[in-house]
Amino acid sequence: MKRIINALFIIVAAGVFAQAGAPAAYYNGFNWNLTGNALKTALTTKITDTDVVDISYSDLWTILKFTDLNPQNSAQVLLMYGYENGTDGMAFNDRARDKNNDGGGAGQWNREHVYAQSVGTPDLGQSGPGADPHMLRPCDVTQNSARGNRKFASGSGNAGTTGQNWYPGDEWKGDVARIIMYMYLRYGDQCLPVNIGAGSTIASDSNMPQIFLQWNAEDPVSPFEDQRNTYIQVTAPASLRQGNRNPFIDNPVLATLIWGGPVAENRWPNLFLSTETRTLDEATAIYPNPAKENYVYVNASIDLETIEVININGQLVQRIARPTEVNDTYQIQNLTKGFYLVKLTANGQTTTKKLLVN
């Protein structure tokens, strides 16, 4: 969410701004040495185990009036996909509206499923994934209808259709990306990103469209997103407190560590070194590991010069010079079952990683 927001959210400041240097207490004990699918799986466990209150669809009318408060006017909520200050006479494009003007009529706001309910596998319904406050956002009724269940696709400027698809707007595209990635981790195959995002997918995960990694990197987290995240986890009344967090709001670089792609904002510099200062070992990961097929991926935020695969007998079975990368991801193919050492070289550094192919 690029738009500059001047107000500080005093009620959640202690919980939010501590994250500028290190993870919040929510993550105490988490293993931050993981990358790739291992990190994805561990975060899935974390956000699932801490999802302790079942939010009803009707509860969202109350919750959204707190999570989505306009930081410049506490009588209003911000509207997803909105971009105008309400002076042009066209209500559908308003960026904010009276928080109590909710309902189903023109000029009101209602509950937008950022991950469209009907494209879930199965349909998300109106409980569980269909009532998760991390995903539901206030939206003008007409704008919500215009978006419908269109897939998100690349664009620029304000929200609107792009061909048969939908661009959420420059202000909201990062919010959308982080919501979709959260839903994928939390609900798995029921909320595949490829069902709601258009365009090519990344090499390491055919379920993840590249556009979401791009938007996550281009549009940094705003205090508004932090406000939502903390309210849902800890600030809401106990009966409305879901208890979990969206990790990609806490630190967008987690998406980079899982899927590669453009390097996103790192909000925990005390934990994750920048790509310029990370060692080769820290900047690379092999997945899946163990592998079930005859190929694996190497994710690297540093351009690799060589990849060498050595079998258990010490024999060099593959050497790839100047390997081709796609979104910071390389592929090693034609592997037979066995144990290997994979030697990676870049910028005068060398690291060796263990690999098992089942």
Side-chain angles (χ1 to χ4, degrees):
M1 185 182 190
K2 287 182 178 177
R3 193 179 185 113
I4 296 173
I5 296 176
N6 295 321
L8 298 180
F9 301 104
I10 296 173
I11 193 170
V12 297
V16 171
F17 295 106
Q19 309 219 7
Y26 174 81
Y27 297 102
N28 285 353
F30 192 87
N31 180 5
W32 293 116
N33 293 316
L34 303 174
T35 57
N37 270 337
L39 177 58
K40 176 175 174 282
T41 299
L43 286 173
T44 293
T45 299
K46 179 66 177 178
I47 64 177
T48 302
D49 289 350
T50 54
D51 183 348
V52 294
V53 172
D54 290 330
I55 303 300
S56 74
Y57 197 54
S58 60
D59 285 337
L60 290 164
W61 291 118
T62 299
I63 293 172
L64 295 179
K65 292 176 184 179
F66 290 93
T67 55
D68 291 72
L69 277 179
N70 181 355
Q72 297 173 333
N73 185 343
S74 61
Q76 297 178 329
V77 290
L78 295 185
L79 303 182
M80 196 67 168
Y81 317 133
Y83 53 85
E84 203 272 334
N85 63 8
T87 61
D88 67 355
M90 297 186 294
F92 80 92
N93 62 6
D94 287 353
R95 183 175 176 271
R97 184 161 300 151
D98 184 334
K99 66 182 180 182
N100 295 314
N101 188 15
D102 54 327
Q108 294 185 304
W109 64 266
N110 61 2
R111 299 158 294 183
E112 153 71 339
H113 289 76
V114 176
Y115 192 107
Q117 179 179 330
S118 64
V119 303
T121 49
D123 184 298
L124 303 189
Q126 295 185 351
S127 62
D132 193 315
H134 284 295
M135 184 268 291
L136 276 290
R137 299 288 286 266
C139 183
D140 173 80
V141 168
T142 302
Q143 191 84 301
N144 193 348
S145 179
R147 187 269 164 132
N149 64 357
R150 298 174 188 267
K151 286 188 174 184
F152 294 110
S154 59
S156 62
N158 297 326
T161 56
T162 173
Q164 297 300 308
N165 299 313
W166 183 259
Y167 180 62
D170 291 351
E171 180 178 0
W172 304 107
K173 63 183 183 180
D175 302 51
V176 165
R178 289 180 279 274
I179 288 169
I180 299 305
M181 291 188 291
Y182 161 84
M183 293 295 284
Y184 182 30
L185 263 62
R186 175 62 186 86
Y187 301 104
D189 288 352
Q190 189 172 6
C191 293
L192 295 175
V194 73
N195 290 349
I196 200 63
S200 58
T201 58
I202 64 170
S204 61
D205 187 346
S206 60
N207 294 318
M208 178 56 69
Q210 294 179 5
I211 191 69
F212 294 133
L213 298 176
Q214 178 184 334
W215 287 352
N216 179 52
E218 291 177 345
D219 182 13
V221 172
S222 67
F224 175 73
E225 289 177 87
D226 281 326
Q227 170 187 268
R228 300 191 88 259
N229 211 17
T230 298
Y231 187 89
I232 293 166
Q233 183 228 337
V234 71
T235 310
S239 63
L240 302 177
R241 189 183 307 155
Q242 185 162 283
N244 64 353
R245 298 182 69 85
N246 181 337
F248 304 107
I249 292 175
D250 288 330
N251 199 343
V253 82
L254 295 175
T256 310
L257 295 172
I258 294 172
W259 293 290
V263 178
E265 174 190 17
N266 179 12
R267 305 184 78 192
W268 302 335
N270 296 337
L271 179 62
F272 299 126
L273 300 176
S274 72
T275 56
E276 288 77 17
T277 59
R278 294 170 75 193
T279 66
L280 182 60
D281 185 62
E282 293 167 332
T284 53
I286 296 177
Y287 57 93
N289 190 10
K292 296 181 180 179
E293 306 293 341
N294 67 345
Y295 61 88
V296 294
Y297 297 100
V298 180
N299 179 254
S301 56
I302 297 174
D303 291 338
L304 296 180
E305 297 168 4
T306 60
I307 299 175
E308 296 177 315
V309 182
I310 302 164
N311 68 18
I312 196 170
N313 297 319
Q315 298 171 311
L316 179 66
V317 296
Q318 284 193 49
R319 185 179 191 276
I320 309 169
R322 300 291 176 186
T324 301
E325 61 90 15
V326 178
N327 295 321
D328 295 331
T329 302
Y330 304 79
Q331 188 177 43
I332 305 174
Q333 303 181 49
N334 303 318
L335 295 168
T336 58
K337 292 182 179 180
F339 177 82
Y340 298 92
L341 297 176
V342 179
K343 183 179 178 181
L344 309 173
T345 304
N347 299 337
Q349 299 182 59
T350 298
T351 187
T352 302
K353 297 180 180 290
K354 298 175 182 179
L355 169 64
L356 177 64
V357 179
N358 290 325

